[in-house]
Amino acid sequence: MIEIEKKFLLKSDDIARLTEGATFIKEITMLDIYYDDATYSLTTKDRWLRERDGKFELKEPAKLEKWSERLADQYHEIEDEAAIAAALKISGGGSLRSALKAAGYEPFATIKTVRRKYKNGEFGIDIDTIDFGYDICEIELMIPEESQMVSAVKRIVAFAEARGLRSGPVRGKVLEYLHRFNPKHLEILQTIGMAG
Ligand code: V4E
């Protein structure tokens, strides 16, 4: 199965409409620390290395596409530390943390999120409240094969618009963090077409 997800920006009165008739699943708090090197060799390739609540994860695009050409986000996640070291081509002899440091990877963003998860029929809804004052949601659908991607995106947009959300480009939490706190890094990603 392939997960198709789309982000939407939330205003304060959107949440009630979005969650009406949905089943609340759970609330979690996540602390994410994102890593890159001095030349941004990961994020410029749309690779996102983070430590979520102390556990490393590497998100890589299913295929490298310019941001403007994307229909929806589609990433693979690698969670095994040895596999992350291999994907980054760094020596995994000691701990991943020490191998990252030796290879010049340093934290560039620390983001705390409260996520409320809901389900409405086949749609998953994640509502994220981020510590620096930013609210977004992700609406998700699982599809069996890529040929259904266009129709899945259309169904997600129709679901969101029926609840008063506006579709259009949305900066995810990391890009919003860069916009606010490290615009130079965001500008580099925008220049090469990796961010809107
Ligand atoms: C993939 C990506 C980034 C990494 C963070 O991904 P995101 O889905 O925003 O985080 P989160 O916390 O919701 O992850 P989950 O819990 O679902 O695993 S930061 C930027 N990107 C790529 C990207 C991009 N270049 N442009 C836009 C508009 N969105 C995402």
Side-chain angles (χ1 to χ4, degrees):
M1 294 291 272
I2 306 170
E3 187 186 69
I4 302 295
E5 53 182 46
K6 246 188 132 43
K7 293 182 190 352
F8 298 85
L9 204 55
L10 294 177
K11 293 178 266 77
S12 55
D13 59 339
D14 286 333
I15 294 177
R17 266 182 282 112
L18 179 61
T19 55
E20 200 186 320
T23 305
F24 174 72
I25 310 287
K26 62 177 173 180
E27 177 180 302
I28 50 176
T29 301
M30 309 176 298
L31 185 70
D32 292 328
I33 304 170
Y34 282 86
Y35 287 77
D36 207 342
D37 63 11
T39 60
Y40 306 122
S41 61
L42 296 181
T43 54
T44 53
K45 296 280 186 312
D46 202 19
R47 301 174 93 193
W48 303 89
L49 174 65
R50 73 183 172 205
E51 204 181 335
R52 171 164 285 181
D53 299 327
K55 199 172 168 309
F56 282 101
E57 302 173 348
L58 177 64
K59 265 196 184 199
E60 301 192 302
K63 56 175 184 248
L64 191 61
E65 291 178 306
K66 291 206 168 178
W67 180 83
S68 56
E69 289 158 7
R70 276 180 221 170
L71 262 181
D73 297 340
Q74 220 191 327
Y75 290 90
H76 295 303
E77 279 185 34
I78 307 175
E79 297 187 352
D80 177 72
E81 293 206 355
I84 292 174
L88 299 180
K89 300 188 170 65
I90 57 177
S91 158
S95 72
L96 179 60
R97 189 183 301 282
S98 59
L100 288 171
K101 201 164 175 48
Y105 294 105
E106 299 282 350
F108 69 85
T110 298
I111 301 173
K112 190 173 171 188
T113 302
V114 176
R115 172 168 291 174
R116 292 184 188 82
K117 292 182 89 65
Y118 293 82
K119 189 96 188 146
N120 190 339
E122 58 182 336
F123 296 93
I125 305 167
D126 284 357
I127 297 179
D128 284 353
T129 303
I130 297 129
D131 58 350
F132 53 79
Y134 192 54
D135 293 326
I136 52 175
C137 75
E138 267 176 14
I139 302 182
E140 303 162 355
L141 268 183
M142 299 298 291
I143 54 170
E145 51 185 65
E146 203 172 324
S147 64
Q148 295 179 13
M149 186 164 163
V150 172
S151 77
V153 171
K154 280 189 187 154
R155 280 194 291 142
I156 290 174
V157 169
F159 178 88
E161 287 181 346
R163 284 155 186 81
L165 301 187
R166 285 212 277 161
S167 49
V170 174
R171 270 195 290 263
K173 64 193 75 154
V174 185
L175 299 183
E176 183 64 22
Y177 179 99
L178 295 180
H179 171 68
R180 295 186 190 199
F181 306 115
N182 191 348
K184 195 177 132 265
H185 186 169
L186 179 61
E187 203 182 298
I188 289 167
L189 300 181
Q190 287 168 331
T191 304
I192 58 165
M194 277 299 131

